[in-house]
Amino acid sequence: KVLIDVPRSDLAEELAQSETKVQVLQDTLQQVLDRREEERQSRQLLELYLEALKKEDSILSKVAASETVPGKELDEVDTSTSSTGPSSRTALSDQILAALKEKPAPELCLDSQDLELVLKEDTEALSLALRWDKQKAEALQRACDQELSKRLQQVQTLHSLRSTSKGKKTLP
């Protein structure tokens, strides 16, 4: 970098070379620096891509795992009868309700399928089940909706990156 920044005439005099040879030398050095910077940026991008793939794989494995278990919980809730009336029963499992009550940001703790269940739930039934006022239940549903949208956008971005990388045969 220092050799590139030195005035051409000074460097030519010091090396006892013509200014055209010094210019070629400085241009070559600049190209080497540019290539190194591109390689560094490519490595960073590749690392980010690999991290995103790991996150996507973990999200997809969690979704696959949660698809088998919640069906059982839903069947238990659906087949049970309640004497307190339909408005106080929710399709949410006790585990989801506990997470909603206990966690400061429950939308970050729930998997995507559970977030969808919270969104589909009637606000009034949710507020009764959690013993919260309706505004707090609505705020929770909005937060769940935002988190689910964010996750969907991340998955779409990852798919886009994956399809883009599949089109390229070699990586730098």
Side-chain angles (χ1 to χ4, degrees), residues 75-99:
D75 288 345
E76 290 174 9
V77 172
D78 290 342
T79 59
S80 67
T81 57
S82 173
S83 61
T84 57
S87 64
S88 66
R89 290 300 292 166
T90 66
L92 302 177
S93 69
D94 291 337
Q95 182 181 7
I96 296 172
L97 290 172

Side-chain angles (χ1 to χ4, degrees), residues 25-92:
L25 174 66
Q26 285 180 325
D27 290 344
T28 303
L29 290 172
Q30 184 63 51
Q31 289 171 356
V32 169
L33 285 177
D34 291 345
R35 189 180 72 238
R36 285 183 182 174
E37 179 61 20
E38 287 176 6
E39 289 171 354
R40 184 190 66 75
Q41 289 176 354
S42 295
R43 274 193 304 274
Q44 283 181 328
L45 186 59
L46 185 58
E47 288 172 4
L48 287 173
Y49 176 70
L50 291 174
E51 282 181 36
L53 282 178
K54 286 179 186 176
K55 285 182 182 179
E56 179 185 17
D57 288 343
S58 70
I59 289 172
L60 292 176
S61 65
K62 285 180 183 177
V63 167
S66 68
E67 285 176 355
T68 58
V69 175
K72 182 180 176 186
E73 292 172 353
L74 289 176
D75 288 345
E76 290 174 9
V77 172
D78 290 342
T79 59
S80 67
T81 57
S82 173
S83 61
T84 57
S87 64
S88 66
R89 290 300 292 166
T90 66
L92 302 177

Side-chain angles (χ1 to χ4, degrees), residues 120-128 133-135 137-138 141:
K120 289 178 184 176
E121 189 63 50
D122 179 58
T123 307
E124 194 170 314
L126 183 62
S127 66
L128 285 174
D133 61 5
K134 193 172 179 180
Q135 290 81 11
E138 288 172 348
Q141 285 182 316

Side-chain angles (χ1 to χ4, degrees), residues 64-164:
S66 68
E67 285 176 355
T68 58
V69 175
K72 182 180 176 186
E73 292 172 353
L74 289 176
D75 288 345
E76 290 174 9
V77 172
D78 290 342
T79 59
S80 67
T81 57
S82 173
S83 61
T84 57
S87 64
S88 66
R89 290 300 292 166
T90 66
L92 302 177
S93 69
D94 291 337
Q95 182 181 7
I96 296 172
L97 290 172
L100 293 174
K101 286 180 185 179
E102 296 169 5
K103 303 290 182 179
E107 68 275 6
L108 301 177
C109 303
L110 297 175
D111 63 29
S112 298
Q113 189 173 11
D114 292 342
L115 289 175
E116 288 178 356
L117 290 174
V118 172
L119 285 174
K120 289 178 184 176
E121 189 63 50
D122 179 58
T123 307
E124 194 170 314
L126 183 62
S127 66
L128 285 174
L130 295 172
R131 294 187 178 104
W132 289 354
D133 61 5
K134 193 172 179 180
Q135 290 81 11
K136 190 172 179 180
E138 288 172 348
L140 172 69
Q141 285 182 316
R142 280 193 302 276
C144 290
D145 186 38
Q146 290 172 351
E147 179 63 22
L148 195 59
S149 297
K150 185 175 106 180
R151 290 180 189 180
L152 179 62
Q153 184 179 11
Q154 287 174 340
V155 169
Q156 289 171 342
T157 302
L158 291 173
H159 285 296
S160 175
L161 279 172
R162 181 176 280 167
S163 66
T164 301

